[in-house]
Amino acid sequence: MPRLVDHDARKGELLDASLALVASEGIEAASLRRLARAADCTTGAITYYFEGRDTLLVAMLRRAHQTTGARMLRAASRVASPRDRLWAVLMEALPLDPERLAEWRVWLAFWGAAAGHPELVEENLARYAEWRALLQSLVRDVAGDRADLSLRVDALMGLVDGFGVQIALSKGLHSEGAAALRQSAERLLKAQLDELVNAES
């Protein structure tokens, strides 16, 4: 009797193995042969699900964002107040544990590759639009439909991106530099949230 294959699950396994390779060795390592070795399959198995390397790279970037987004929503669902939901999502966005650090290394690799890859640029823009929409919704829940809503969202995104890049490029999550960056990120993000709450009250 032929073995039934869950194609969605197998496709996800291929993407996760490919993302792990990029996180540890960079996007230059992501040849079909290396990716197949990382996923313990043949290159034919990869091309069965993806037309080629470029299609796979776009799918990998989408998978990374979707994984992060799902984790953010789970974190937000565990707290009650609008402020705490926004805080939970912002903390999930920063590379504060090995899983999130690996995600940031993936994003850095893809951002570097996007300059010569229009499909990656479009995919990144689409995922950033989703990230912005999530933050806008959360900020609106905290502070209402204020005139400077877009500016406040820009400030939060800028802080997350700026500190995220610095922490991801530090000498490790437990280094003195990473610890100082985390403290600064938390202090500045908390100040932004406090302003939102005080403006609404």
Side-chain angles (χ1 to χ4, degrees):
M1 185 175 180
R3 183 166 63 94
L4 296 177
V5 177
D6 185 333
H7 290 289
D8 287 339
R10 183 55 179 152
K11 189 175 181 180
E13 291 170 358
L14 293 175
L15 289 171
D16 290 341
S18 301
L19 287 169
L21 176 64
V22 171
S24 62
E25 300 185 33
I27 206 165
E28 299 82 5
S31 67
L32 287 182
R33 182 172 296 179
R34 289 294 311 282
L35 293 171
R37 191 182 312 150
D40 193 24
C41 68
T42 64
T43 55
I46 293 178
T47 56
Y48 177 82
Y49 293 103
F50 308 99
E51 293 179 5
R53 182 176 182 271
D54 287 351
T55 304
L56 175 60
L57 291 177
V58 172
M60 288 164 62
L61 182 57
R62 184 174 303 154
R63 174 82 167 187
H65 279 276
Q66 289 172 343
T67 299
T68 302
R71 193 183 61 248
M72 288 176 174
L73 293 177
R74 287 195 300 271
S77 71
R78 291 193 287 266
V79 293
S81 74
R83 184 192 186 284
D84 287 345
R85 286 196 294 271
L86 177 54
W87 180 257
V89 166
L90 291 170
M91 289 300 98
E92 285 297 324
L94 291 168
L96 303 181
D97 61 26
E99 178 185 5
R100 286 176 279 172
L101 177 60
E103 289 171 351
W104 269 89
R105 287 175 174 165
V106 166
W107 292 333
L108 289 173
F110 277 104
W111 292 340
H117 198 309
E119 292 84 357
L120 284 180
V121 172
E122 290 301 318
E123 182 64 27
N124 192 64
L125 289 173
R127 301 311 138 208
Y128 248 80
E130 292 176 354
W131 169 225
R132 170 178 287 280
L134 173 61
L135 281 182
Q136 283 180 332
S137 175
L138 293 168
V139 170
R140 188 177 288 112
D141 288 343
V142 172
D145 246 333
R146 48 189 294 159
D148 64 346
L149 176 67
S150 181
L151 182 63
R152 293 290 183 171
V153 172
D154 285 342
L156 293 173
M157 292 179 73
L159 285 170
V160 168
D161 282 351
F163 280 106
V165 169
Q166 291 183 76
I167 295 170
L169 295 177
S170 67
K171 294 182 178 180
L173 291 176
H174 301 295
S175 68
E176 184 177 340
L181 287 166
R182 175 174 183 162
Q183 290 177 357
S184 294
E186 290 179 350
R187 184 166 62 251
L188 289 170
L189 287 169
K190 182 178 183 299
Q192 288 288 320
L193 267 63
D194 287 344
E195 285 186 20
L196 289 172
V197 172
N198 293 335
E200 178 65 8
S201 57

